[in-house]
């Protein structure tokens, strides 16, 4: 039969046999000719999500883990400041904060030493060449000795008179003034300690405060509960 009598006979290339559309399953599990195959690919891509999401989540977890010690240290510091303002033994709370700050900054503090010995060691820092910082450190030392032992081994100024020996109304006012002065002294001493430390040590004191470790629980000159 002549070729012109057969439909599409001129479209055939000699030697090539036409084939039907492939029905083998592709990456989506659907045949290539399936009109829903493209929809399956889009759904799989949507389920996978953006590639940056896992990285962002991991980054946030790392940041939160780094902030946990800093947050815990801030809570402890706030508790001590609350004791200074209105709690018992405000000078002891101030001393604990000074010792903790020194430990966070990597300063060697021997827990077996007396308060007076530790103060002498801290005062050797360059920042305590400032008379104001040194005076604040000495006042904290005297306050701690007065609270612990009921005496001060140095000449007390009128500001150091025990408020408990004053009349009731005047004693309460003097006690509030003493607590406010102790709070200022703690700020001055801790600021001086930080000035003496290099930047990387100050950063480590914030992110990984050594004072939170159990080994630094005992306070210098007195065995106490860690973190108090």
């Amino acid at each position: 039969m002549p070729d012109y009598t057969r439909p599409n006979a001129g479209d055939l290339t000699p030697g090539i046999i036409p084939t039907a559309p492939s029905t083998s399953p592709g990456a989506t599990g659907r045949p290539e000719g399936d009109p829903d195959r493209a929809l399956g690919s889009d759904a799989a891509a949507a389920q996978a999500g953006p590639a940056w999401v896992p990285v962002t989540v991991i980054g946030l977890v790392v940041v939160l883990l780094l902030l946990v010690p800093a947050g815990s240290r801030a809570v402890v510091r706030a508790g001590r400041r609350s004791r200074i303002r209105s709690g018992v033994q405000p000078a002891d709370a101030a001393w604990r904060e000074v010792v903790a700050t020194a430990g966070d900054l990597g300063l060697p503090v021997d827990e077996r030493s007396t308060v007076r010995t530790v103060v002498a060691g801290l005062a050797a820092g360059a920042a305590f060449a400032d008379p104001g910082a040194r005076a604040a450190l000495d006042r904290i030392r005297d306050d701690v000795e007065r609270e612990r032992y009921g005496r001060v081994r140095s000449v007390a100024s009128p500001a150091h008179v025990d408020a408990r020996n004053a009349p009731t109304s005047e004693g309460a006012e003097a006690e509030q003034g003493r607590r406010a002065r102790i709070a200022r002294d703690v700020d001055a001493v801790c600021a001086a300690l930080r000035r003496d430390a290099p930047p990387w040590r100050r950063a480590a004191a914030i992110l990984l405060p050594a004072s939170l470790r159990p080994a630094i629980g005992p306070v210098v000159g007195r065995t106490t509960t860690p973190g108090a």
Side-chain angles (χ1 to χ4, degrees), residues 73-98:
R73 180 68 175 88
V75 170
V76 173
R77 184 184 303 111
R80 290 176 181 141
R81 293 188 178 278
S82 177
R83 279 185 56 195
I84 293 173
R85 290 192 304 269
S86 58
V88 297
Q89 296 184 313
D92 184 68
W95 179 244
R96 290 169 184 260
E97 182 59 26
V98 169

Side-chain angles (χ1 to χ4, degrees), residues 30-73:
R30 296 176 177 273
E32 293 182 1
D34 192 334
D36 293 335
R37 182 182 180 188
L39 297 178
S41 300
D42 294 341
Q47 290 177 359
W52 54 266
V53 171
V55 177
T56 302
V57 172
I58 293 174
L60 290 176
V61 171
V62 171
V63 170
L64 290 176
L65 290 177
L66 289 175
L67 292 179
V68 167
S72 301
R73 180 68 175 88

Side-chain angles (χ1 to χ4, degrees), residues 197-213:
W200 69 268
R201 180 66 77 176
R202 292 196 295 267
I206 295 173
L207 297 177
L208 297 172
S211 60
L212 295 181
R213 300 173 187 169

Side-chain angles (χ1 to χ4, degrees), residues 62-199:
V62 171
V63 170
L64 290 176
L65 290 177
L66 289 175
L67 292 179
V68 167
S72 301
R73 180 68 175 88
V75 170
V76 173
R77 184 184 303 111
R80 290 176 181 141
R81 293 188 178 278
S82 177
R83 279 185 56 195
I84 293 173
R85 290 192 304 269
S86 58
V88 297
Q89 296 184 313
D92 184 68
W95 179 244
R96 290 169 184 260
E97 182 59 26
V98 169
V99 172
T101 300
D104 292 342
L105 294 170
L107 297 177
V109 177
D110 188 353
E111 63 187 39
R112 299 166 297 180
S113 301
T114 64
V115 174
R116 191 164 288 261
T117 300
V118 174
V119 166
L122 295 178
F128 288 101
D130 173 49
R134 178 59 191 269
L137 183 61
D138 289 342
R139 284 193 296 267
I140 291 178
R141 174 201 62 199
D142 293 346
D143 288 329
V144 173
E145 289 181 344
R146 185 179 298 104
E147 277 189 358
R148 292 183 179 180
Y149 314 118
R151 69 181 186 277
V152 177
R153 290 177 288 173
S154 62
V155 178
S157 65
H160 286 165
V161 174
D162 195 337
R164 291 173 295 183
N165 296 329
T168 304
S169 59
E170 296 180 4
E173 184 177 348
E175 176 65 11
Q176 289 302 317
R178 183 177 78 96
R179 289 174 179 270
R181 190 262 305 159
I182 291 175
R184 292 193 299 270
D185 287 344
V186 170
D187 291 339
V189 170
C190 292
L193 291 172
R194 295 187 186 98
R195 282 197 300 272
D196 270 348

